[in-house]
Amino acid sequence: MCGRYALGIRAAFVRRHLQEHNMPVDEAPDDDDVRQTYNFAPGYHGLVYRADVPDYGAGERRHGQGASNQEGEEREDEGPKETRYKLQSMKWGLIPFWSKRNPDYSSILRTINARDDSLAQSGGMWNTMKQRKRGIVMAQGFYEWLKKNGGKEKVPHYIKRKDGQLMCFAGLWDCVQYDGSEEKHYTYTIITTDSNKQLSFLHDRMPVIINNGSDNLKIWLDPSRAEWSKELQSLLKPFDGELECYPVSKDVGKVGNNSPAFIVPVASTENKANIANFFSNASKGANGMGKKENKSLAEESKRGTDVEHDRGEDRVTVENEDNAPVPCPTPPLLKAGSKRAHAVDARDDVSPAKAIKVGAPDAEEKAIGSPEKKSIRKTRSATSNGTKASPVKSGNGSQRITNFFNK
């Protein structure tokens, strides 16, 4: 799977990079419309490169497909013309066009990735998107977590192209308007395939990477190919180019954390968070620099280890058996006067509610279902951890756990 990637650069830089690799960009969003972070998580607005086609996708419009689109209806009558391409800000976690209401968050987590073998099957949820709404998701690189000690420990690794180019993930996009709303919502998913030999030690899946400016990329985006074919399916394969893969800071595991150090190897001399580098530099300073220089070096090293937390990101992060830690909405606050004997531990795995039913849009899928009732989970006592408690002074009473959720 691909559950976290890096996009710590401006949209303007991405546009320039694409144009330098024979990938024209006739329209692009403002820098402020795209999340700029080295810890890109589901629910953020990323950059999708696609053919400039109507919201219902490439080809002729089919009855009942796509959001209401005056612009798209006008384009139908214009006839064939030269293909234009655009960079567009979209939200990660695809919501199909037939959805009637905003889905719950756990449903969206189910559509951050689309398996290549699912696309090989006829019909299904991805049927319309794979034929008419194909795109390229832009990234600097992506993260995978290596399981150690029987899964008890996870070590994040960063993967990037060895030639320094941006990564072009094969993706699908869609546009939806909910009942009673005029607003359009553009969302996307990243297609995954089997890992190549280089990354098989990390995970059995990886995003489909298509070379920048290649013929394969042009075929993937070609709006004249409005039917799924074996040729398109053949593009969804493990990357055969050279990649770099190395361990990085575990701080990247927490959603909302952000630092350029996340894409720097832990063992690198460029990583100021590496304590070995700090002492090495301090030793050099003792031989040739005074105390003032040593102090400045220590302060600089400390600044290098600082990790900022993005404002407005209040989702909690929970472990995921599959790979990347999963961002989940913050649990609701407990009312001060409510009775509660137990509290669910925040580290417990969160089982997403049943999300999108797989079926063909021709049957007017009831795509995003209502969240199921939460299953009964093992809970921990809010007042005891199994050990003998210390005596409580009379008159103080017991400490409520309510304040825990305010932190």
Side-chain angles (χ1 to χ4, degrees), residues 207-260:
V208 173
I209 303 171
I210 302 179
N211 280 318
N212 302 10
S214 64
D215 290 339
N216 285 347
L217 189 142
K218 295 175 183 177
I219 293 173
W220 179 253
L221 297 180
D222 186 359
S224 68
R225 302 171 191 265
E227 298 291 337
W228 193 246
S229 64
K230 292 183 178 178
E231 183 181 25
L232 290 171
Q233 184 70 42
S234 68
L235 302 180
L236 308 180
K237 57 186 179 181
F239 186 63
D240 56 4
E242 291 188 88
L243 298 172
E244 283 190 53
C245 174
Y246 46 79
V248 293
S249 170
K250 290 186 177 181
D251 288 329
V252 74
K254 182 175 176 59
V255 174
N257 283 352
N258 185 24
S259 172

Side-chain angles (χ1 to χ4, degrees), residues 73 86 103 125 160 188 199 294 332 345 353 372 377 386 388:
E73 293 174 357
K86 65 191 297 185
M125 174 189 163
K160 66 176 184 178
Y188 67 93
L199 302 182
N294 274 324
D345 190 288
E372 294 181 347
R377 307 180 100 21
K388 187 176 180 180

